Amino acid sequence: MAIKVMIVDDHSMIREGLKQLLELDSEMQVIEEASDGIECIEKLKTIKPDIMLLDIDMPRMNGLEVLTYLKEQHMKIKTIVLTVHNEVEYLMKAVNIGINGYMLKDSEYEELRRAILSVVDGDIYIQPSMIPYLNEKIVERDCDRIKMDELTNREVEVLKLLAVGLFNKEIGEQLSISER
């Protein structure tokens, strides 16, 4: 059975292009489109997609507002934010609201396909190039919550290097300490 997809983007050419790409794939079926957040919410009253591809910047109601509405209404629709925004602040806002995926519009179709299949299977998919920035922001945020006086300076250094995606061996080399 094909994965039912809804595309929400204010640019008709983006919607049409995505629809054509997705429908070339026998595992995907675009069941609905919307050009803004309000139209999206109206259409979700009558349809139930397996996954929604959602733009952030849209008139009348943006993608982050749609995500917030879905969460407040306890609508469990798997959503991948598909955006031009590679700033980690947008990603953090979306993660804090509760997205299932986050991808940049300059990605290849195969990556979008992997993301859709992954999210439909219950995983979270974040564009790999964004993960180090997300980790760094999460550590910064969480360090604010932790009593910093409970951590040694070395532990803070290690956490920061983990956040930017370094492996234990690389951290050990950089800080002149053992990998353990």
Side-chain angles (χ1 to χ4, degrees):
M1 181 146 88
I3 296 168
K4 297 180 287 190
V5 181
M6 180 176 186
I7 302 170
V8 184
D9 195 298
D10 59 323
H11 296 98
S12 61
M13 196 179 318
I14 297 288
R15 288 192 316 273
E16 290 170 21
L18 279 171
K19 181 177 181 178
Q20 287 181 8
L21 282 171
L22 291 167
E23 290 192 339
L24 287 174
D25 190 322
S26 62
E27 292 187 65
M28 312 281 173
Q29 176 190 8
V30 176
I31 61 165
E32 192 59 81
E33 299 175 38
S35 61
D36 63 49
I38 291 175
E39 183 181 3
C40 168
I41 288 169
E42 281 302 311
K43 290 184 175 187
L44 286 174
K45 291 176 182 175
T46 59
I47 62 151
K48 177 91 168 90
D50 296 316
I51 193 158
M52 181 169 55
L53 303 179
L54 179 66
D55 187 21
I56 289 181
D57 286 328
M58 295 183 294
R60 299 198 308 157
M61 182 182 227
N62 70 41
L64 295 175
E65 292 168 325
V66 169
L67 288 169
T68 301
Y69 176 84
L70 295 176
K71 187 173 185 176
E72 289 170 352
Q73 299 302 310
H74 306 287
M75 297 175 76
K76 298 191 186 302
I77 296 170
K78 293 181 179 184
T79 305
I80 296 176
V81 170
L82 193 56
T83 183
V84 296
H85 293 290
N86 63 353
E87 296 90 5
V88 72
E89 288 74 25
Y90 283 101
L91 174 56
M92 279 298 293
K93 286 179 185 176
V95 165
N96 288 334
I97 294 169
I99 55 157
N100 303 97
Y102 192 95
M103 290 195 57
L104 300 177
K105 286 183 177 177
D106 65 358
S107 301
E108 298 287 327
Y109 172 72
E110 276 308 310
E111 186 168 0
L112 176 60
R113 185 178 191 282
R114 272 193 306 277
I116 290 170
L117 294 174
S118 177
V119 167
V120 166
D121 284 344
D123 296 325
I124 303 283
Y125 189 94
I126 305 294
Q127 175 133 0
S129 63
M130 299 291 292
I131 290 174
Y133 305 111
L134 175 64
N135 288 341
E136 186 175 3
K137 277 291 189 195
I138 288 173
V139 168
E140 282 177 19
R141 180 196 69 196
D142 291 350
C143 279
D144 289 342
R145 295 179 189 164
I146 297 171
K147 292 181 182 174
M148 292 304 287
D149 57 352
E150 293 179 9
L151 296 176
T152 65
N153 288 340
R154 181 61 89 194
E155 288 171 329
V156 172
E157 287 178 77
V158 170
L159 278 175
K160 286 181 181 177
L161 293 173
L162 278 171
V164 295
L166 294 184
F167 294 105
N168 289 355
K169 184 176 181 178
E170 296 167 315
I171 293 169
E173 289 170 0
Q174 189 164 337
L175 297 178
S176 301
I177 58 177
S178 76
E179 184 177 344
R180 280 188 38 226

